[in-house]
Amino acid sequence: MHPAIVDPLALDRQVCFALAVTNRAVLAVYRPLLEPMGLTHPQYLVMLALWEQSPRSVKNIGSALTLDSPTLSPLLKRLEASGLLERTRSVSDERQLDIALTERGAALRKEAEKIPAAVVARLGVDLSVLEELRAVLTRVNNAALDAKETGAQI
C-alpha cells in the first residue's frame, strides 16, 4: 500500500482559506449586533480603540488597528459625521490630528458592552476556546508581521 499523497495546494489545507472563511463567518455574526448601533465592523474597531483611550492621534489608532491612513481616514470621517467623535489639530503638532469621543460616542460604549457576550453566545463556542484562538491568531499575526519586516522569502 502506498501512503496517501497529500496535496500541499489542497484548498482545505490552506491557512489563508480557513482564515478568510472564518473572517466572513464571524463578521456575519457581528453585523446584526452592530447595525442597531449604526456601526460597521471597521467602525466598531475604531470605537473600541477610542473607548480604551480618548483622545488618540490618527497615527496611534492606525497603529493599534494595523490600518494605514488612507483606510482609516474615511472611517474617521464617517464616525465624525455620525456625531461619535471629533477630529481636531493637535496643540503640540499641528500636522497631527487628534481623535476624541463625543459625549454620544462615549455613551455608546454602554450599549457596546453587550456585544462580546452576544458574539460568544451566537457562536456557541466555549469562551476558553475563543480566548485560545485569539492567542494563537495573535502569535500568527506577529509572525507574519516579523516575516514582512525582515523580507522573508520562500
Side-chain angles (χ1 to χ4, degrees):
M1 290 287 238
H2 294 283
I5 297 173
V6 177
D7 181 0
L9 296 180
L11 188 58
D12 65 355
R13 295 187 48 82
Q14 306 308 306
V15 172
C16 61
F17 178 67
L19 287 171
V21 170
T22 301
N23 182 56
R24 286 192 303 270
V26 171
L27 291 184
V29 169
Y30 273 89
R31 193 170 296 113
L33 298 170
L34 295 174
E35 280 177 357
M37 297 171 61
L39 296 175
T40 64
H41 190 263
Q43 291 170 337
Y44 174 65
L45 296 178
V46 170
M47 295 301 292
L48 288 172
L50 288 168
W51 288 323
E52 274 186 6
Q53 177 189 336
S54 175
R56 290 176 96 144
S57 69
V58 172
K59 183 177 181 178
N60 182 278
I61 295 169
S63 177
L65 300 178
T66 65
L67 292 176
D68 59 9
S69 185
T71 303
L72 186 55
S73 290
L75 292 171
L76 297 173
K77 286 178 184 175
R78 284 193 294 277
L79 289 166
E80 183 178 39
S82 297
L84 299 176
L85 59 82
E86 56 189 9
R87 301 177 306 149
T88 57
R89 291 277 163 211
S90 171
V91 175
S92 61
D93 182 352
E94 67 181 31
R95 297 169 297 173
Q96 179 177 297
L97 270 180
D98 285 336
I99 309 300
L101 291 168
T102 61
E103 280 187 40
R104 185 167 167 238
L108 192 60
R109 179 189 169 104
K110 192 72 174 164
E111 193 175 337
E113 288 175 354
K114 302 170 190 169
I115 299 291
V119 168
V120 171
R122 288 183 181 207
L123 289 175
V125 177
D126 191 68
L127 180 59
S128 65
V129 172
L130 294 174
E131 288 172 342
E132 182 180 341
L133 175 60
R134 187 202 48 76
V136 169
L137 290 173
T138 298
R139 288 195 304 271
V140 170
N141 287 336
N142 290 339
L145 287 171
D146 289 347
K148 181 181 174 186
E149 288 175 7
T150 61
Q153 297 194 1
I154 299 175

